[in-house]
Amino acid sequence: MGKIQVKIGWSGNNYSCVADDPVLNGIIAVTNKTLEGLKKDFDDSLKFHIEGCMQDNDVLPEWLASGQYEIDYILETSALIHSLDGVLTRSAIARVSGINEKLIGHYASGYRNPRPKQRERIINGIHTISRELASVV
């Protein structure tokens, strides 16, 4: 079984994703207002792309042509923060990560990209909140 990595970002008012793995014999890009909608649209676009490649007699790996693949969605920090809108406030993320709330806003908008250590602090902070919520009896 093969894996396809899809990078998801946030731009303007939409999620956007791209898969440019050489095994795809092309690039697939999708946008949508919701993360769930984006994933569904990407799945549909990938299937359409594979069908087109097969009709054109393009060479594809057997695992891809037969649908034996998994999709790994990788959320950029901007998409990650937006995916939590309505669940966690940016203030809460700032509190648990120790990163200034204004800077969290810059990361969410895509105006700035965090260094890997900053991203790790954000993710660890989100995991802390998750563990706190899971401990509620």
Side-chain angles (χ1 to χ4, degrees):
M1 178 170 295
K3 289 193 178 210
I4 299 169
Q5 288 191 343
V6 179
K7 296 176 187 172
I8 299 176
W10 176 264
S11 179
N13 294 318
N14 290 308
Y15 290 97
S16 60
C17 72
V18 65
D20 61 358
D21 192 315
V23 301
L24 294 176
N25 197 26
I27 295 174
I28 301 170
V30 177
T31 64
N32 197 296
K33 296 248 182 239
T34 68
L35 187 56
E36 297 79 23
L38 180 83
K39 289 178 179 181
K40 182 190 176 314
D41 288 352
F42 179 81
D43 188 51
D44 292 344
S45 296
L46 176 59
K47 289 175 182 172
F48 181 75
H49 177 75
I50 292 168
E51 288 173 12
C53 286
M54 291 173 62
Q55 287 175 358
D56 292 343
N57 294 317
D58 293 338
V59 177
L60 295 175
E62 178 57 34
W63 58 264
L64 185 60
S66 65
Q68 299 297 313
Y69 55 83
E70 291 180 6
I71 301 173
D72 284 340
Y73 292 103
I74 302 166
L75 274 70
E76 293 176 357
T77 304
S78 58
L80 173 64
I81 294 170
H82 276 279
S83 73
L84 297 171
D85 283 348
V87 177
L88 290 179
T89 64
R90 293 182 186 161
S91 175
I93 295 170
R95 180 181 51 81
V96 296
S97 67
I99 298 172
N100 179 293
E101 185 176 350
K102 186 173 183 176
L103 192 52
I104 296 288
H106 287 299
Y107 294 157
S109 70
Y111 177 70
R112 295 190 64 187
N113 290 315
R115 295 182 318 269
K117 285 195 176 237
Q118 293 288 83
R119 178 179 165 79
E120 184 178 339
R121 286 174 60 188
I122 292 168
I123 291 171
N124 288 340
I126 292 167
H127 289 172
T128 298
I129 293 171
S130 175
R131 283 190 299 275
E132 288 175 13
L133 292 173
S135 71
V136 175
V137 184

